[in-house]
Amino acid sequence: MQVGCYVATRAWIPLRPDKGSRRRLVVGSAGSRMELSLMRPDDWHLHLREGDLLRAVVSHSARHFGRAIVMPNLKPPITTTAAAVAYRQSILKALPPDSRFDPLMTLYLTDNTSPDEINLARKSGVVFAVKLYPAGATTNSQDGVTDIFGKCLLVLEEMAKHNMPLLVHGEVTDPNIDIFDRERVFIETILSPLLIKLPHLKVVMEHITTMDAVKFIESCNEGSVAATVTPQHLLLNRNSLFQGGLQPHNYCLPVLKREIHRQAIVSAVTRGSNRYFLGTDSAPHERQKKECPCGCAGIYNAPVALSLYAKVFEQAGALDKLEAFTSFNGPDFYGLPRNTSKVKLRKSPWKVPGSYPYTSGEIVPMFAGETLEWFPSDN
């Protein structure tokens, strides 16, 4: 892929050959403006909810992402292929006219999921993975797995046979384990032993938050274990929960960690490894459900995600690695074709809305009211 710049004469001047984003500098009467042209990204971890909330948020993801792995933790959860097909239809119905956004569905793993259901899912053509929620780990996870080794091994063996990925919320739920240590303990006591038992099982460790996760992923065979990474875990640390008072809109699960862990994840992602790919974990909640005595976990970042990922890679001096992270590594891991259309990111400051109103209230996005430097568009 050529990389270069256009100057006032409109001549193409190569900057340097690389395999990353196609960059160009447009010089006009308004001065200089950097522009990135990326193969259309996908979001490999997205919460779209249902009903009015689904209709309020789906356009934000559909605007710039080609596909998304849609999480199944609804009420009731999406535990069957039939339910996944019906949920997909409700998403398609909520999309803007002429949208080509493709929701890739998942099943919610329970103690009672059967190998036959995995066969149905694989044959459906719309279910692409199964999500493991340890019971009680996060929003709507009360129906999740209580004993993966005692109750789920036959299902996981069937998934390995069909090359269907297991998407892991990687935290233990033992109340005696410190909340900041739950990812590390999950790796040590569940994920590592599981992969010893089932070495051919494909696993995505979702929304990683620690250097422990980075070390584990990079110790595994390439192509068998990968990770999604969110904007919040690349940009925020646990201080962001408390600066200027309690900040409920920075509360998510897995919870934000120490700065040393954030730096480890940034380093892993921006050096160009194909083990990591974009997964926003965008998780909308109505404002009053965040700003209350028992606020919900989840950060709504869909409208700002691409801008924030560009910020991270720019700060690391790695804009040439951005496109692989956003657009190549995910489909390659899932065995799906890369998108062919493009999106653009212009270095043009824009202010994030303070909230997005909808019929049942309003949703506060990540970095509400702040100015971001990269503006995404389709042309």
Side-chain angles (χ1 to χ4, degrees), residues 42-48 67-72 101-106 127-129 167 206 334 336:
D42 300 301
D43 187 347
W44 298 97
H45 187 120
L46 178 65
H47 297 271
L48 286 175
R67 297 166 289 200
I69 285 283
V70 180
M71 293 296 111
F101 180 74
D102 186 10
L104 310 178
M105 309 313 292
T106 60
V127 176
F128 289 85
L167 315 183
E206 300 289 345
Y334 275 83
L336 295 172

Side-chain angles (χ1 to χ4, degrees), residues 67-88:
R67 297 166 289 200
I69 285 283
V70 180
M71 293 296 111
N73 56 330
L74 305 183
K75 289 184 177 180
I78 305 299
T79 58
T80 67
T81 302
V85 170
Y87 183 29
R88 184 174 187 271

Side-chain angles (χ1 to χ4, degrees), residues 10 31 47-48 53 60 78-79 95 118 128 132 140 178 181 201 203 215 244-246 274 291 306 327 356 369 379:
R10 310 304 293 172
H47 297 271
L48 286 175
L53 197 49
H60 291 152
I78 305 299
T79 58
L95 286 171
I118 301 304
F128 289 85
L132 166 62
N140 296 342
D178 190 288
D181 295 330
L201 181 66
V203 171
K215 291 176 182 177
L246 191 63
N274 64 1
E291 300 175 5
L306 283 183
S327 311
Y356 292 95
N379 49 51

Side-chain angles (χ1 to χ4, degrees), residues 60-117:
H60 291 152
S61 294
R63 185 169 297 134
H64 304 304
F65 294 104
R67 297 166 289 200
I69 285 283
V70 180
M71 293 296 111
N73 56 330
L74 305 183
K75 289 184 177 180
I78 305 299
T79 58
T80 67
T81 302
V85 170
Y87 183 29
R88 184 174 187 271
Q89 288 303 311
S90 69
I91 295 169
L92 294 174
K93 186 176 179 180
L95 286 171
D98 302 322
S99 174
R100 295 185 177 181
F101 180 74
D102 186 10
L104 310 178
M105 309 313 292
T106 60
L107 297 186
Y108 184 115
L109 185 65
T110 74
D111 292 345
N112 300 313
T113 303
S114 70
D116 288 342
E117 194 61 56

Side-chain angles (χ1 to χ4, degrees), residues 264-277:
I265 297 170
V266 169
S267 176
V269 166
T270 59
R271 66 171 172 258
S273 170
N274 64 1
R275 299 172 187 261
Y276 307 97
F277 39 86

Side-chain angles (χ1 to χ4, degrees), residues 340-360:
T340 56
S341 61
K342 301 271 189 172
V343 297
K344 292 180 180 178
L345 283 164
R346 294 187 177 93
K347 195 70 178 291
S348 178
W350 65 285
K351 188 174 182 180
V352 181
S355 66
Y356 292 95
Y358 75 113
T359 54
S360 300

Side-chain angles (χ1 to χ4, degrees), residues 215-227:
K215 291 176 182 177
F216 175 75
I217 289 159
E218 297 188 356
S219 73
C220 297
N221 292 332
E222 187 173 308
S224 63
V225 179

